[in-house]
Amino acid sequence: MMKSKFLTGALTTALVVGATATTFAAANPFEDVPADHWAYDAVAQLAADGVIEGYGDGTYRGDQEITRYEMAQMVARAMAKNGVSDADKAMIDKLAAEFADELNNLGVRVAALEKKVDNVKWHGILRYTYDRSRYENDLHGSKSHNTNDFRIRLMSDMEINEHWTGHARIEYKSNMATAKNTTGDDVYLNRAYVEGKYGATTIDLGRYPAYTLVDQGMVYDDELSGAQVQFGDKAYLKLAGGRYSYAGVGNEYYDFGDGKDTKRSASTYWSVEAGTDPAQKLFVGAAYHQLRNKDLYKGLDVDYKGSKYNSDSADIWEVGARYRFDDNFTVLGSYAKNATGDYASALRTAWSAELDYKGAKLDDPGSYGLYVAYRSLGNTAVLAPTYDIDLAGKKGWNVGAKVTMMKNVFGYLEYFNGKYLGGPDPSVDATSKHNRDTDTIFARVECYF
């Protein structure tokens, strides 16, 4: 402990920063320092300048002794002041020399505290989406469905140590047409995981974002609860396993035909994926995904030619390739097949062929990207396709544009025209989805912060 009292130290610091009683005009925030106290002006001004701070109960406790570290902290704040006179600077230097050891240690402590505060970083997305889907209803004319979706995503990144970071994503989703949320929960947490990096090895544990790179997300782009390990920073091998809810967030309940909303159980999932260096002009890869669940395909439109829910598993094999000609043109192709079950071939296979031109960049207003693709996505060969338009169980042409409207703001416009997979078949009634024409217009504005 120092032999001086706390107010004595405060007054000393006030003199150091060049303050005099005639210049103080700040209101005193400390209830235990009365207006007629000899140090009232000094305490009030130093508090207003941020040189001294009180305690959480709104008191100053001026009759307590202070430690050298507490005095060194006030000196450090005085050293940070700008515009002091030469005389005051000389006094600050003398005090700095007196408390050199404490200031050095304090610097380490302050740096560690600032680093701790910086460890948690927040960023997010504001997004509005509109899409209008129309489909032919065979003998009963046409139907359409419109969606007005507003979504907020808040993401946090938390540094744990030199190898591990924590990540979380909080989401709110609302139907603009009805002014109601669309998930059953106003706010929900859909990501929470830790990620470890050891050289060229990356480990994810928890509910983390999973993406099939070999097919650019054709089979899977969603959250997965479990673990993932990726080896290699160029050519890579990725192993993943855990639990996956096929229906996704907000759709985990389904009427299995008994008139009751029954919770769909999650599937056991594991996969292995390998590919060449994605940064090179030519990228190729292959993957295998296995799911096991007794009601895996219940509720999905796969009952074509009598093949009703005839499997409690999926064994999906896939290959993919991408070639970048130059900075403007890229071609992508992928193929996947579910080797389990006797569903119709169109429902067991999925493939996509795409041509990309240029690309929008978030920090480059006016930049844009265009694409044209033909896709055929059998329901049992894909899990959670990355495409903005829901294409599972459909085939057809897909075109789109993405432009950077202003810095940190993307605009999207996409169109799909095609058919539902399957049929026609005499055993399928006239209201079935099979072979119906369908088209979708999709528009989105996405703001990053």
Side-chain angles (χ1 to χ4, degrees), residues 171-416:
E171 188 160 331
Y172 170 79
K173 187 177 178 183
S174 174
N175 187 328
M176 298 292 285
T178 62
K180 294 181 180 180
N181 61 336
T182 59
T183 63
D185 299 305
D186 288 336
V187 179
Y188 58 95
L189 180 71
N190 61 1
R191 289 181 186 175
Y193 67 102
V194 292
E195 184 172 81
K197 290 184 178 293
Y198 294 88
T201 300
T202 301
I203 305 168
D204 294 304
L205 303 170
R207 184 169 175 79
Y208 63 91
Y211 179 83
T212 49
L213 184 60
V214 300
D215 60 8
Q216 311 302 306
M218 182 184 75
V219 168
Y220 198 103
D221 182 9
D222 203 353
E223 282 70 46
L224 179 68
S225 297
Q228 175 178 277
V229 182
Q230 179 169 318
F231 306 95
D233 55 358
K234 293 184 179 179
Y236 70 94
L237 172 67
K238 182 165 59 178
L239 307 175
R243 302 282 286 172
Y244 172 61
S245 176
Y246 191 96
V249 175
N251 296 308
E252 63 269 21
Y253 288 91
Y254 184 78
D255 182 355
F256 290 122
D258 57 3
K260 299 179 181 179
D261 285 339
T262 305
K263 188 174 180 62
R264 183 195 300 273
S265 59
S267 301
T268 300
Y269 171 87
W270 72 270
S271 71
V272 56
E273 178 179 336
T276 60
D277 185 355
Q280 298 302 311
K281 280 191 171 185
L282 175 63
F283 165 77
V284 294
Y288 169 73
H289 313 272
Q290 183 186 85
L291 287 90
R292 294 289 184 267
N293 181 9
K294 60 182 177 60
D295 53 18
L296 178 63
Y297 290 124
K298 285 185 178 180
L300 296 182
D301 183 31
V302 296
D303 54 338
Y304 172 54
K305 292 187 176 179
S307 55
K308 283 191 175 182
Y309 325 132
N310 63 347
S311 177
D312 60 358
S313 64
D315 293 277
I316 300 172
W317 297 86
E318 63 167 327
V319 293
R322 184 195 69 227
Y323 185 77
R324 186 175 63 250
F325 291 95
D326 51 33
D327 292 338
N328 292 330
F329 290 97
T330 302
V331 292
L332 309 93
S334 53
Y335 176 84
K337 182 175 182 178
N338 182 359
T340 305
D342 59 356
Y343 310 110
S345 176
L347 303 177
R348 293 176 57 194
T349 58
W351 62 274
S352 173
E354 180 176 334
L355 174 64
D356 293 349
Y357 177 69
K358 291 191 173 181
K361 299 177 181 178
L362 199 58
D363 59 351
D364 184 11
S367 61
Y368 66 94
L370 307 173
Y371 78 88
V372 58
Y374 189 91
R375 315 188 202 277
S376 177
L377 306 185
N379 268 338
T380 71
V382 295
L383 301 175
T386 190
Y387 312 116
D388 295 320
I389 297 172
D390 180 15
L391 300 180
K394 303 174 187 177
K395 62 180 178 180
W397 290 96
N398 194 188
V399 297
K402 181 179 179 180
V403 61
T404 306
M405 303 170 65
M406 60 186 76
K407 186 176 181 180
N408 296 329
V409 179
F410 281 145
Y412 302 76
L413 184 62
E414 300 181 51
Y415 177 71
F416 170 78

Side-chain angles (χ1 to χ4, degrees), residues 109-172:
R109 293 183 179 185
V110 171
L113 178 61
E114 291 174 348
K115 183 175 177 59
K116 197 71 174 177
V117 172
D118 290 341
N119 277 357
V120 181
K121 298 180 180 179
W122 288 90
H123 53 103
I125 302 173
L126 296 174
R127 190 168 86 184
Y128 169 73
T129 302
Y130 169 81
D131 72 49
R132 186 213 62 193
S133 297
R134 297 188 306 178
Y135 54 91
E136 178 190 1
N137 199 24
D138 293 341
L139 303 180
H140 303 284
S142 297
K143 292 187 177 182
S144 64
H145 175 73
N146 296 338
T147 298
N148 286 275
D149 177 275
F150 176 73
R151 187 174 303 195
I152 300 175
R153 287 175 170 172
L154 291 177
M155 287 83 80
S156 65
D157 304 312
M158 301 152 279
E159 184 178 343
I160 299 171
N161 55 42
E162 65 273 20
H163 293 293
W164 289 89
T165 56
H167 305 274
R169 187 170 81 178
I170 302 170
E171 188 160 331
Y172 170 79

